[in-house]
Structure formats: structure tokens, C-alpha cells
């Protein structure tokens, strides 16, 4: 790798890290005011899923753990599942991309749908344990959360594709070819 490409790659990692931090802050400060049916989308998870296709391996894993701990430390939830969920997501989606789907958008969409469904089940179960009716939780929490988060996933994918075009993100699978 030439010196110019190395600097470009390091700068790209710094930019994607700053974007992940800004996304975490926007999830904590902006999206509580943009609720749909009382749901706040998991914008950081959507961003990390898309970034994991660009930056497989240690970069995506570090961003997932740090982002999960930032959200958990800010009091975003009662049970500390964010770091584990985000880490599982950034490991699951590149595997889908490499092994099953060769199209990045399809892999991100299917992986995002799976991850958001699991997270929505966790949220629905927590609401049911707090006394909410299951049917009400499914209609007013589960479905809006998954749809709203998937919309954020599409926007995050567009940003990550643009980032990859500008900075030439290198994935492990690109190096092996």
C-alpha cells in the first residue's frame, strides 16, 4: 500500500468513526423529537450495519462496541444489550454479504431486518413486562420501530456508499481477491 493510500485509508477510518459518533449523538438528541408512534429508530445500529459492509473486521467491531457503550451509558435503555446487539450485527451482516448475497444493499437490508426484528422483540417483551397489552405493543411499537429503523438504514447505506467511493474503503474480501 502506498503512502498516499495509507493516509487516505486512515483518514477514511477517522471520518467513519466521527460519523458514527455524530450518529450516536443524533440518536440521543435529535431523534427523540422525531418519534413515530412513540418509537425512536435505532439509527446508530442502522449506520453500523451499513459501515460493517465497508469496513469488515476490527474497525466495525470497535465502532459497534464503543457506540453501544455510549448509548448504554447515556441511559438509553434499562437492560445493557446494545453493545452485544451491535457487535452481533456487525459480524452477521458481512457474513451475509460474503457467503449468501453478493449485493451489499440486499445483505444490509436482510441483516438489518433481522437485527431490528430482534431488537423490536426485546422492546416489546420489556413493554409487556411493564404491563402493556401484547397487541398494542405489536401495533404501536414493534411495526413502527422496524419500519422507521429500516428507513434510516436506507439513508445510512447511501452515506456509506458515498463514503466508500470517496475514501476507497477496503474490505477484507477486497484484499483477498
Amino acid at each position: 500500500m502506498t503512502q498516499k493510500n495509507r493516509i487516505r485509508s486512515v483518514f477514511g477510518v477517522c471520518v467513519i468513526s466521527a460519523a458514527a459518533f455524530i450518529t450516536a449523538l443524533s440518536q440521543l438528541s435529535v431523534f427523540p423529537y422525531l418519534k413515530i408512534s412513540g418509537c425512536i429508530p435505532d439509527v446508530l445500529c442502522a449506520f453500523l450495519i451499513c459501515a460493517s459492509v465497508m469496513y469488515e473486521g476490527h474497525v466495525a467491531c470497535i465502532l459497534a462496541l464503543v457506540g453501544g457503550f455510549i448509548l448504554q451509558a447515556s441511559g438509553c435503555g434499562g437492560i445493557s444489550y446494545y453493545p452485544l446487539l451491535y457487535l452481533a450485527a456487525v459480524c452477521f451482516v458481512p457474513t451475509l454479504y460474503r457467503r449468501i448475497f453478493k449485493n451489499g444493499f440486499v445483505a444490509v437490508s436482510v441483516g438489518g431486518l433481522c437485527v431490528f426484528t430482534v431488537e423490536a422483540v426485546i422492546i416489546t417483551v420489556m413493554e409487556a413486562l411493564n404491563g402493556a397489552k401484547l397487541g398494542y405493543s405489536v401495533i404501536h411499537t414493534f411495526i413502527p420501530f422496524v419500519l422507521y429503523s429500516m428507513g434510516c438504514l436506507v439513508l445510512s447505506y447511501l452515506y456509506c456508499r458515498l463514503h466508500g467511493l470517496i475514501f476507497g474503503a477496503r474490505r477484507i474480501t477486497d484484499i483477498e481477491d
Side-chain angles (χ1 to χ4, degrees):
M1 181 182 280
T2 66
Q3 184 68 20
K4 183 179 177 182
N5 286 343
R6 186 179 311 274
I7 291 171
R8 187 174 169 187
S9 177
V10 168
F11 187 65
V13 170
C14 291
V15 169
I16 201 83
S17 299
F21 183 70
I22 290 169
T23 304
L25 292 180
S26 70
Q27 182 170 341
L28 296 170
S29 60
V30 175
F31 281 94
Y33 297 106
L34 301 175
K35 293 179 182 178
I36 292 180
S37 184
C39 293
I40 301 171
D42 198 346
V43 183
L44 182 60
C45 188
F47 181 79
L48 291 172
I49 287 170
C50 296
S52 71
V53 173
M54 289 294 168
Y55 289 100
E56 289 182 20
H58 64 279
V59 174
C61 291
I62 291 170
L63 289 176
L65 286 174
V66 170
F69 283 120
I70 286 173
L71 287 184
Q72 198 58 47
S74 68
C76 214
I79 300 173
S80 181
Y81 66 88
Y82 286 115
L84 183 61
L85 180 73
Y86 291 173
L87 187 60
V90 300
C91 292
F92 174 64
V93 174
T95 303
L96 281 178
Y97 176 65
R98 278 194 315 261
R99 310 234 180 208
I100 300 172
F101 305 108
K102 298 301 179 189
N103 185 334
F105 183 72
V106 173
V108 163
S109 298
V110 170
L113 185 63
C114 293
V115 171
F116 295 138
T117 301
V118 168
E119 189 172 2
V121 166
I122 293 169
I123 294 169
T124 304
V125 167
M126 286 193 299
E127 282 185 352
L129 292 174
N130 288 330
K133 303 248 187 234
L134 185 61
Y136 180 85
S137 293
V138 168
I139 293 171
H140 294 285
T141 302
F142 186 91
I143 295 171
F145 175 80
V146 172
L147 293 177
Y148 199 8
S149 295
M150 288 299 289
C152 293
L153 183 86
V154 171
L155 295 175
S156 296
Y157 183 78
L158 293 175
Y159 170 79
C160 287
R161 287 289 295 169
L162 179 65
H163 182 274
L165 291 173
I166 293 171
F167 295 106
R170 301 283 294 179
R171 297 182 304 265
I172 294 170
T173 52
D174 292 340
I175 296 170
E176 292 173 355
D177 291 338

